[in-house]
Amino acid sequence: MRFFNVCAGAVLALCMTLGGAGAAQAVSDVQIFRLENGLTVLVKEDSRFPLVSVRLFVKAGSAWEKPEEAGMSHLLEHMVFKGSKTSGPGVDKRVENAGGSMNAYTSYDMTTYLTDLPSAKWKDAMTAVRDLAFDPLLRQADLDAEREVVIAEKKQRGDSPMTKLFQTALAHTLKGTPYETPVIGTEKALRGVTPDMMREYIRRRYDPRDMVLSVAGDVKATEILAEAKTLFGGYENHNVLKVEPSIDPATLAHGLVVDVEAGPWDKAFVSLSFPLPGMKDELLPAADVLAHLLSGDDTALLPRKFRIEKPVADNVSASAMSFERAGAFIILAQLDSDKVVEYLTSLGKTLAGLKASDFTDDQIARARLNLEDSYLRGLENVANIAETMGSEYFYDPSSVGGERYLEAVRGVNRQRIQQVIDSWLRPDALTVAALVPQGKNGQAAVDDASARTALAQGWPAAGKAATAETRVARDDQNLRSEVVDLGGGRKLVLLPDRSLPYVSATLSFSGGELLASDKEEGLAALTAAALPTGTKKRDLNDINVYLSGRAAGLSAGSGLRSFSVQMDAPSRFAPEVFSLMKEVLEEPAFRDEDVERVKREQIASIVSGEQSAMGLLGRHLRHFLFEKGSYAHRSEGDPAAVAKYTRKDVESFWNRQKVRPWVLSVAGDFDRAEVESFVKSLPAPSEKALESEAPVWNGERTWRMTLPGRNQAVYLMLFPTVGADDADRAALRLLSESLSGFTGKLYQELREKRSLGYSVFPVDWAGKDVGFLAFGIIASPENLDKAKASFEAIVRDLRENPLPEETLNRAKAVAEADFYRARQSRAMRAGEGAANILNGHDLDYGRQCLEAMKAVDASTLRDMARKYLDLNKAYDLRVTP
């Protein structure tokens, strides 16, 4: 069961996947209450961390809008932050001051209001979602300003090829349904919205009976219920409850539809999509299993066929997306434009011959296991628990804790998978959508006709058809940690946590980019990508099958000062995955075909990342700022240089890297004896740790890059600062935190007061030896100079006037809450533990930094502004169309 939420900040976000043979109830111990007015209240008590997460789900998404209201649900979501009649403006400020965060997102079927706070402030969290959802002020001046922000956001989304492709695919696949129009709506409808229209929409859609309040964290259910009655019990229902039927996919089959559009892309993006029924159809779990069989991991059919065995696509994936009344089965791919015809022909042939009998019993069992696994991993933090149990109940009240869906997944067999193929993956219901680069002569390499012909060659019929239990530990002793010095440049970090039956580990070596010369830019990343692709005993497919059969992961990565190998697995499989990790470390194969493939993928990643203005700026930023050395390296390197690297280059780098001192950090539910046995079996380092030096800053302070054909630009005003260990770092972090958020100066001045851009933000970055503080905005190109002037005014104010105490307290509270939120993840704790010890810090270094920041006062921040925010030394960095 997959819920496709289209959020304010990100469009393609699959928010939940359930499944798994032998699985227990997905979210256990959910307490369910219903107020007299029909509002459902769900509570999950979880005392692992002092946090609470609150979600209010409202049946008011774009699929419930009239044509003249297209986009109103999302625009209203923006407007509610302008103030409520219940308690006036400033709800976002109150939440941030309490150390929390709040947001909202709009999907096709619902709008969700959410807050995350320290658990001591749980009443504030509930009050905040009430203030957002009920009785907004809806002032005309606010609407006029926010309308322009949303329209700018719509243009920004249009700059993303995958977002644009998804919207095009859905418009054809679900044509004639409430899901054919993007959630963000149309500019014509948005410009016609009035406050009275919004009030009527609220009266029509915001009934308590059609809402779910979901609360998870360190709270008591009885107290939550009492407060819910106080806050929400007085609201009335105004309309008769109406349940809309699911749409039969057969009615949406209108023959093959092909839509190819040329544009300013450096890659081609292709989707094949078929309509599905609504959320409650009993066959949908089999569609989820099929999607996983097609692309769940590198052992699956599509990645193996199109990315590994014969490289045609950079990436390819399949998803079964379900909304309340309809859905879509979509296959997405990114590839070079000269491969589109070959890809469509081959994929058409694959789909034409697709049969459930193609998959073995073991493959189907692995798909079930991994669906369950992905779901359980999402329950690490209370925010995901609140999101999961609330959204699931919203769509299917009969499946509390996932039991109905999980039971259905357990019943998926080969016959039901074949039924999905026969019923829904029909050639007469197929839509092919593609975005391709514009050719130099104005003609694209592929058009509608050639795409249709290519597909029909492979699929003639298309051409003719125009058990895992969740254990919760509340004992604080489970969170105790220790560092074991094994001598000889080897250290072990143990971070026990019994709350879920999983273990994560990070093995970090001194090195990474520090070990690479300027001529070897990108080689560390290439080596990290190639390392887990094969050993002398196993090839890539063997490793993928091994990991998939254990719902485990094994990967490697390279940073400025370190090279890391990570594993993550269910606890019962940890010894086996540690054994594979050892094999990868000691006997990597670096086969020519694997190195060549990861080279292609790294180059494709570089190209893909530069498709947005922020991606382009971020990739080249440090390369411009610093003259040479590891700080100037682009982590993925230059495409031309990467293309020249050979297996010998990769092998040589690994031989230099593997002999450096290392730290193994293990977090989760593990057996100490097993971990110690593993770590003592690893080779001892023979070389010393590497040391870095502060880089030389570029004397040129103006930088311009262009990204033609886009609607939005990016501007950064950047100031050099100091490294992570400098005494000023705590104050610089607090200064950045004070300027961020809904109530920060940057957002208030540039977005709220002047509507200069959709996204305004500070960036505080620090390596060991150097850092910078920057102010950034994503905006229309004509607004960049205005943004610069506004940033300059803010800098002058920061240098002259201390920030209000209230602002500092808010920033400190947010930083402390973020500290806890981040550490809910086992993988994050494992990685942080390794990094802290490798860099010579205490294990509790993060908390020490937090406490140092909390001790900073307003006068110190003003001193920091005077010391570092010098407009004469600022860098002016821009990416424009």
Side-chain angles (χ1 to χ4, degrees):
M1 184 182 298
R2 300 181 180 217
F3 304 106
F4 211 78
N5 289 330
V6 182
C7 309
V11 178
L12 304 171
L14 282 177
C15 295
M16 188 168 78
T17 305
L18 304 176
Q25 186 167 305
V27 181
S28 60
D29 303 322
V30 178
Q31 301 186 55
I32 307 171
F33 310 96
R34 188 178 293 275
L35 304 188
E36 290 185 5
N37 60 9
L39 176 72
T40 299
V41 182
L42 309 177
V43 184
K44 165 66 176 176
E45 296 180 354
D46 185 339
S47 61
R48 290 176 298 154
F49 293 90
L51 299 168
V52 65
S53 186
V54 177
R55 303 288 188 273
L56 182 66
F57 300 87
V58 183
K59 187 172 283 191
S62 62
W64 301 103
E65 297 167 346
K66 300 175 182 178
E68 65 272 18
E69 297 171 337
M72 185 187 293
S73 300
H74 177 251
L75 181 56
L76 176 60
E77 170 219 311
H78 280 243
M79 286 294 294
V80 298
F81 285 88
K82 301 299 184 180
S84 166
K85 297 175 185 176
T86 313
S87 56
V91 59
D92 45 6
K93 183 177 182 180
R94 294 195 300 275
V95 169
E96 289 186 349
N97 286 345
S101 62
M102 65 183 306
N103 211 328
Y105 64 82
T106 308
S107 70
Y108 292 96
D109 296 310
M110 64 186 174
T111 298
T112 304
Y113 301 101
L114 55 103
T115 56
D116 296 299
L117 276 163
S119 54
K121 301 290 185 179
W122 65 269
K123 287 189 177 182
D124 292 341
M126 292 182 65
T127 301
V129 296
R130 189 278 310 270
D131 287 350
L132 288 178
F134 292 96
D135 305 317
L137 292 174
L138 301 179
R139 295 169 294 203
Q140 184 67 53
D142 292 333
L143 176 57
D144 291 341
E146 204 62 26
R147 190 194 332 264
E148 298 307 316
V149 170
V150 171
I151 290 173
E153 179 187 353
K154 179 177 173 64
K155 292 178 180 178
Q156 181 184 349
R157 291 185 183 185
D159 284 346
S160 166
M162 274 299 185
T163 301
K164 186 178 180 67
L165 180 66
F166 171 75
Q167 292 177 346
T168 301
L170 226 57
H172 292 300
T173 304
L174 300 181
K175 186 175 180 60
T177 78
Y179 303 100
E180 68 172 305
T181 302
V183 170
I184 203 167
T186 65
E187 184 170 348
K188 179 180 179 181
L190 289 170
R191 293 205 177 278
V193 172
T194 66
D196 285 342
M197 289 173 65
M198 285 187 159
R199 294 186 185 98
E200 167 57 25
Y201 182 71
I202 291 173
R203 191 200 65 78
R204 195 171 80 240
R205 299 301 324 165
Y206 277 57
D207 278 2
R209 181 180 45 216
D210 289 331
M211 298 181 182
V212 175
L213 179 68
S214 178
V215 183
D218 191 11
V219 296
K220 299 297 182 184
T222 53
E223 295 177 351
I224 294 295
L225 177 59
E227 188 69 7
K229 290 178 179 178
T230 300
L231 292 174
F232 300 96
Y235 293 101
E236 300 178 351
N237 298 293
H238 299 286
N239 296 284
V240 176
L241 183 64
K242 183 179 180 182
V243 178
E244 294 288 345
S246 179
I247 299 168
D248 183 355
T251 65
L252 303 177
H254 304 296
L256 175 65
V257 175
V258 178
D259 187 341
V260 179
E261 179 181 340
W265 322 112
D266 295 320
K267 287 282 185 176
F269 305 87
V270 180
S271 74
L272 276 72
S273 52
F274 306 83
L276 293 180
M279 188 68 69
K280 293 184 180 181
D281 192 286
E282 63 179 12
L283 196 57
L284 284 175
D288 282 342
V289 173
L290 176 60
H292 198 280
L293 289 167
L294 289 176
S295 70
D297 54 42
D298 283 350
T299 70
L301 177 63
L302 298 182
R304 192 176 70 245
K305 183 178 181 66
F306 294 105
R307 190 173 63 79
I308 296 174
E309 293 177 355
K310 185 178 182 181
V312 176
D314 302 329
N315 53 66
V316 58
S317 63
S319 297
M321 294 169 288
S322 298
F323 314 122
E324 185 166 357
R325 289 168 279 170
F329 195 99
I330 299 186
I331 299 172
L332 295 170
Q334 173 187 300
L335 62 163
D336 292 329
S337 58
D338 60 356
K339 298 290 183 66
V340 172
V341 168
E342 179 185 357
Y343 169 74
L344 285 174
T345 299
S346 184
L347 181 58
K349 184 177 181 180
T350 299
L351 293 175
L354 185 64
K355 301 183 297 295
S357 58
D358 295 336
F359 306 107
T360 67
D361 291 340
D362 286 344
Q363 288 173 322
I364 294 173
R366 285 205 308 271
R368 291 171 176 158
L369 173 62
N370 282 274
L371 284 171
E372 174 191 12
D373 178 71
S374 64
Y375 178 79
L376 285 175
R377 290 178 188 276
L379 300 179
E380 257 190 330
N381 60 67
V382 295
N384 283 352
I385 291 172
E387 179 75 29
T388 295
M389 69 179 183
S391 58
E392 178 187 349
Y393 187 94
F394 180 90
Y395 284 108
D396 186 4
S398 68
S399 184
V400 179
E403 64 268 30
R404 188 189 69 81
Y405 180 78
L406 291 175
E407 180 65 27
V409 168
R410 289 194 290 270
V412 172
N413 53 30
R414 192 169 283 102
Q415 289 71 32
R416 294 184 71 77
I417 294 172
Q418 187 63 50
Q419 190 177 349
V420 169
I421 297 171
D422 294 339
S423 300
W424 297 334
L425 271 59
R426 296 165 42 183
D428 62 333
L430 173 61
T431 292
V432 178
L435 302 178
V436 299
Q438 185 76 53
K440 294 181 180 180
N441 59 357
Q443 297 295 319
V446 182
D447 57 16
D448 289 4
S450 58
R452 181 184 292 270
T453 299
L455 183 71
Q457 286 178 351
W459 197 356
K464 295 175 182 178
T467 55
E469 297 181 356
T470 301
R471 287 181 284 165
V472 178
R474 294 182 173 84
D475 186 350
D476 288 342
Q477 291 185 356
N478 286 327
L479 301 179
R480 291 179 181 175
S481 57
E482 62 178 305
V483 180
V484 182
D485 192 339
L486 302 171
R490 303 170 300 160
K491 292 184 179 180
L492 172 64
V493 177
L494 299 173
L495 304 168
D497 178 356
R498 311 293 183 192
S499 61
L500 285 171
Y502 289 91
V503 59
S504 296
T506 297
L507 179 67
S508 287
F509 298 83
S510 170
E513 288 298 326
L514 271 179
L515 195 58
S517 68
D518 288 346
K519 293 182 179 180
E520 294 177 319
E521 184 187 45
L523 181 57
L526 184 65
T527 303
L531 182 64
T533 61
T535 69
K536 294 177 181 178
K537 300 176 183 177
R538 311 173 204 252
D539 62 17
L540 177 61
N541 189 65
D542 293 334
I543 290 177
N544 287 333
V545 169
Y546 187 91
L547 292 170
S548 179
R550 291 156 179 80
L554 183 65
S555 61
S558 178
L560 266 174
R561 297 171 49 80
S562 64
F563 186 103
S564 299
V565 181
Q566 304 89 21
M567 65 80 73
D568 193 275
S571 300
R572 65 186 185 275
F573 295 126
E576 297 169 63
V577 180
F578 273 128
S579 177
L580 177 61
M581 187 176 184
K582 176 179 171 65
E583 185 179 321
V584 165
L585 291 167
E586 297 181 353
E587 301 180 80
F590 297 124
R591 295 181 176 85
D592 287 331
E593 61 268 27
D594 292 328
V595 173
E596 289 303 311
R597 186 185 67 258
V598 295
K599 281 169 54 178
R600 290 192 298 270
E601 292 171 357
Q602 187 160 317
I603 292 170
S605 176
I606 292 170
V607 174
S608 177
E610 293 185 351
Q611 295 301 296
S612 70
M614 274 300 295
L616 184 64
L617 177 64
R619 192 177 116 71
H620 293 277
L621 180 58
R622 286 192 287 107
H623 191 68
F624 167 77
L625 292 176
F626 307 118
E627 293 186 355
K628 61 181 181 179
S630 60
Y631 282 100
H633 290 180
R634 292 161 293 193
S635 61
E636 292 184 307
D638 177 76
V642 172
K644 294 179 181 178
Y645 290 138
T646 67
R647 177 190 60 79
K648 290 184 178 180
D649 295 321
V650 171
E651 193 171 51
S652 173
F653 184 88
W654 175 240
N655 288 334
R656 287 182 282 151
Q657 177 62 81
K658 68 181 182 181
V659 295
R660 299 292 170 176
W662 51 257
V663 176
L664 176 69
S665 180
V666 186
D669 183 11
F670 55 83
D671 183 287
R672 179 180 178 129
E674 291 174 350
V675 171
E676 289 182 336
S677 175
F678 165 70
V679 74
K680 289 176 181 178
S681 73
L682 298 178
S686 59
E687 297 289 338
K688 295 181 180 180
L690 295 166
E691 295 296 332
S692 59
E693 296 180 355
V696 177
W697 286 82
N698 187 354
E700 176 59 48
R701 293 193 176 91
T702 301
W703 183 41
R704 300 288 185 269
M705 297 187 76
T706 59
L707 193 60
R710 305 314 197 265
N711 292 300
Q712 298 289 289
V714 174
Y715 168 63
L716 280 187
M717 177 181 286
L718 185 145
F719 303 90
T721 60
V722 290
D725 296 337
D726 193 276
D728 288 345
R729 173 49 46 195
L732 287 167
R733 179 188 173 193
L734 180 60
L735 179 58
S736 175
E737 193 72 67
S738 298
L739 296 171
S740 67
F742 293 119
T743 56
K745 270 184 174 290
L746 300 183
Y747 187 94
Q748 289 294 317
E749 292 294 328
L750 278 77
R751 173 166 169 172
E752 290 296 282
K753 293 183 180 179
R754 304 194 62 190
S755 298
L756 291 179
Y758 171 67
S759 182
V760 190
F761 50 88
V763 179
D764 178 37
W765 178 87
K768 183 176 176 60
D769 312 285
V770 71
F772 59 75
L773 178 63
F775 304 153
I777 187 170
I778 301 175
S780 298
E782 63 270 16
N783 285 337
L784 296 193
D785 287 336
K786 298 175 184 177
K788 178 180 180 180
S790 294
F791 285 155
E792 290 173 343
I794 289 173
V795 167
R796 287 190 287 268
D797 183 60
L798 292 171
R799 291 170 61 91
E800 294 299 320
N801 303 305
L803 286 167
E805 196 68 26
E806 180 185 32
T807 299
L808 267 63
N809 290 338
R810 172 191 64 82
K812 294 174 182 179
V814 169
E816 184 166 20
D818 286 345
F819 176 86
Y820 285 114
R821 290 189 189 101
R823 282 152 186 82
Q824 293 177 92
S825 162
R826 295 177 320 281
M828 188 276 176
R829 277 176 271 157
E832 180 189 44
N836 284 344
I837 302 306
L838 190 67
N839 289 323
H841 299 136
D842 294 336
L843 197 55
D844 204 30
Y845 178 68
R847 187 182 298 278
Q848 295 169 12
C849 293
L850 174 66
E851 295 303 321
M853 189 204 71
K854 289 167 63 178
V856 175
D857 59 22
S859 63
T860 301
L861 284 194
R862 183 177 59 184
D863 292 342
M864 289 298 105
R866 291 173 176 175
K867 184 175 181 179
Y868 294 107
L869 302 187
D870 185 344
L871 291 172
N872 294 319
K873 297 179 180 180
Y875 286 74
D876 186 305
L877 315 170
R878 306 186 186 201
V879 177
T880 57

